[in-house]
Amino acid sequence: MILTVTLNTALDLTYTVGALVPRSSHRVTDVTERPGGKGLNVARVLAALGHETVVTGFAGGATGEVVRGLLAPLPGVRDALVPIAGATRRTVAVVDASTGDTTQLNEPGPVVAPAEWSAFLSTYDTLVGEARAVALCGSLPPGVRVGAYAELIRRARAAGVPVLLDTSGEPLRRGIAARPDIVKPNADELAYLTGAREPLPATRDARRRGAHAVAASLGPDGLLAVTPDGTWRAAPPAPVKGNPTGAGDSAVAGLLSALVEGESWPERLRRAVALATATVRAPAAGEYDPRAYQELLDRVTVTELVAAA
């Protein structure tokens, strides 16, 4: 199975309005709610691709119960969330139907007590021993120390399990020094980490900081990967309009699923970009369109930039 870790789980609410106008009232035309947080989004896509997936992290309060209730019927996803006293956060996405733009509001998350962190570590160590790969995803809730991902990476590496890190800020800086197998930053995260805005130099610099490989998101332009086997750029066949919510999480699912299947880096990138693009095109935020994904797989362009990195 593949293990995904979401320390700051959420209940994702998506509101659709005709047009989002500041300082005015809006009639919501559609409401959806899903179990959220980056790792839960990754798990949902992995399961849709046919991979048995276990989710862990924290869940608490009435919102946490809703999240667990929404997880329960998902085929291929097993709930191993650790209960806490605090209430799981909510995130609200407001979709402007007139433009397709999305405005995101993210709550900070509950405070995690030391005893709750210890309980999580016990659960994590057990699950890592059963996993073929681990994804560490998203922000840290209050009470969890900034070096938490670095500790989880070291524990996964000690168990011989490949680990992907997808976070930002200081947790990314600390985590990358623990030598994860893959890091998937976006442009802003790369800039924070390296101080560089040019994608290729910044991605190379990020890899020098400890990651085995770096797959950097270029937004609608695809992915850039600097790996021990070479450097590649993967791009969708054409610009896509839609809701980008969850596209990065779908890319993580593509990278991880292809990794455990033994695919080469070009094929990992092809799958990741096709999934991300199909997610942007899907009518519901954070879902991916299976037909679009299959169509895009053969149309994603993967170009080798240099022979080795």
Side-chain angles (χ1 to χ4, degrees), residues 184-185 215-225 233-236 251 269 272-273 276-277 300-301:
K184 195 206 75 64
S217 172
L218 305 178
D221 295 324
L223 289 171
L224 172 67
R233 169 84 176 268
L269 296 170
V273 170
T277 306
V300 171
T301 302

Side-chain angles (χ1 to χ4, degrees), residues 16 47 56 94 115 118 148 172 222 226 233 253 297 309:
T16 301
T56 192
V94 182
S118 295
L172 172 61
V226 178
R233 169 84 176 268
L297 266 178

Side-chain angles (χ1 to χ4, degrees), residues 181-198:
D181 294 86
I182 305 173
V183 173
K184 195 206 75 64
N186 61 29
D188 289 339
E189 291 158 358
L190 268 180
Y192 175 89
L193 183 67
T194 67
R197 278 286 177 184
E198 286 296 320

